[in-house]
Amino acid sequence: DAGVTQSPTHLIKTRGQHVTLRCSPISGHKSVSWYQQVLGQGPQFIFQYYEKEERGRGNFPDRFSARQFPNYSSELNVNALLLGDSALYLCASSWASGGTRPYNEQFFGPGTRLTVL
Amino acid sequence: DAKTTQPPSMDCAEGRAANLPCNHSTISGNEYVYWYRQIHSQGPQYIIHGLKNNETNEMASLIITEDRKSSTLILPHATLRDTAVYYCIVRVVSPANAGKSTFGDGTTLTVKP
């Protein structure tokens, strides 16, 4: 089975531009989350989408937005890029919890390395 | 989600057991303990999770203290490929937060020959 896939792998943008990052979850997973990881730090939660609805948002400005499509893939959009947006952007998918499986583990993709010049 | 505290770095000799501690003194009764690792800027990899009982899988063992305020991840026979940053996370799991994990800075484990 394919794991979580993300595209592109690397991206270079200049300040003020916008960027769209894409993620395809593991087949059957309905929850997709986005994380930003700055060099030397742990991943920071940006968004969670479940069944195409936003279920959580981290402490990120409105320049960051996301959406989930009917096939559960997802896009992360960042407008008006700043130098500080340079980071590894990670996508993670998981199945819904509840019922006989109250726990769930997240499966992460390889990430998109964004460099803002 | 409860906050976790991990040592910033640890060394381990190849072939020996690596014991990585995590403090989560404010954990609540319905929060699970998860461990992930991240190798050289790849995406984090799930290792193991537990609620209150000790757990073991093909990768590692998880020991949770009786009061659940701390846990230890054990890699029984560390290899050079286990060199990575290890993250301990505690969180309630529900459909509302199925995808939210709060990562700290983790423990950088270096396995030495």
Side-chain angles (χ1 to χ4, degrees):
Chain A
D1 285 342
V4 178
T5 59
Q6 292 186 245
S7 62
T9 305
H10 296 85
L11 202 53
I12 299 175
K13 292 286 190 178
T14 57
R15 285 178 295 176
Q17 287 188 310
H18 70 272
V19 67
T20 298
L21 310 180
R22 296 177 175 83
C23 171
S24 292
I26 292 172
S27 178
H29 286 192
K30 298 181 179 180
S31 176
V32 171
S33 298
W34 288 94
Y35 292 80
Q36 180 195 67
Q37 186 173 27
V38 175
L39 195 62
Q41 298 180 16
Q44 298 300 306
F45 173 75
I46 308 175
F47 285 110
Q48 184 213 341
Y49 276 77
Y50 173 64
E51 286 284 16
K52 302 177 284 295
E53 293 185 0
E54 181 182 308
R55 293 299 187 98
R57 184 185 182 112
N59 188 25
F60 281 82
D62 292 342
R63 299 184 297 107
F64 289 76
S65 64
R67 56 179 175 170
Q68 187 176 32
F69 298 99
N71 66 354
Y72 302 108
S73 65
S74 178
E75 285 183 351
L76 175 70
N77 295 284
V78 186
N79 293 324
L81 286 168
L82 303 174
L83 296 179
D85 296 331
S86 295
L88 180 68
Y89 287 85
L90 295 161
C91 173
S93 77
S94 58
W95 51 70
S97 62
T100 59
R101 192 184 175 94
Y103 56 87
N104 66 346
E105 57 268 42
Q106 291 183 280
F107 296 87
F108 285 81
T112 294
R113 174 71 62 187
L114 172 65
T115 301
V116 182
L117 302 176
Chain B
D1 294 341
K3 183 177 179 179
T4 61
T5 303
Q6 299 177 252
S9 63
M10 294 182 63
D11 291 340
C12 177
E14 188 177 19
R16 304 296 294 269
N19 296 281
L20 293 94
C22 179
N23 287 320
H24 30 80
S25 58
T26 60
I27 192 171
S28 59
N30 58 351
E31 287 185 310
Y32 283 75
V33 179
Y34 288 79
W35 283 83
Y36 289 82
R37 72 179 182 184
Q38 188 172 27
I39 298 174
H40 193 51
S41 293
Q42 297 177 19
Q45 176 191 23
Y46 165 81
I47 301 173
I48 198 168
H49 73 275
L51 183 61
K52 53 185 177 182
N53 297 320
N54 298 337
E55 303 287 346
T56 296
N57 63 19
E58 65 279 4
M59 291 184 66
S61 295
L62 174 60
I63 308 297
I64 302 174
T65 58
E66 190 169 348
D67 62 8
R68 303 209 326 122
K69 293 184 177 182
S70 65
S71 60
T72 300
L73 178 74
I74 301 172
L75 307 178
H77 306 286
T79 70
L80 299 179
R81 288 176 293 181
D82 291 323
T83 293
V85 179
Y86 287 77
Y87 295 100
C88 168
I89 297 161
V90 292
R91 65 187 180 102
V92 174
V93 179
S94 69
N97 77 339
K100 179 182 178 181
S101 293
T102 301
F103 288 81
D105 291 334
T107 295
T108 298
L109 174 68
T110 303
V111 180
K112 298 184 175 181

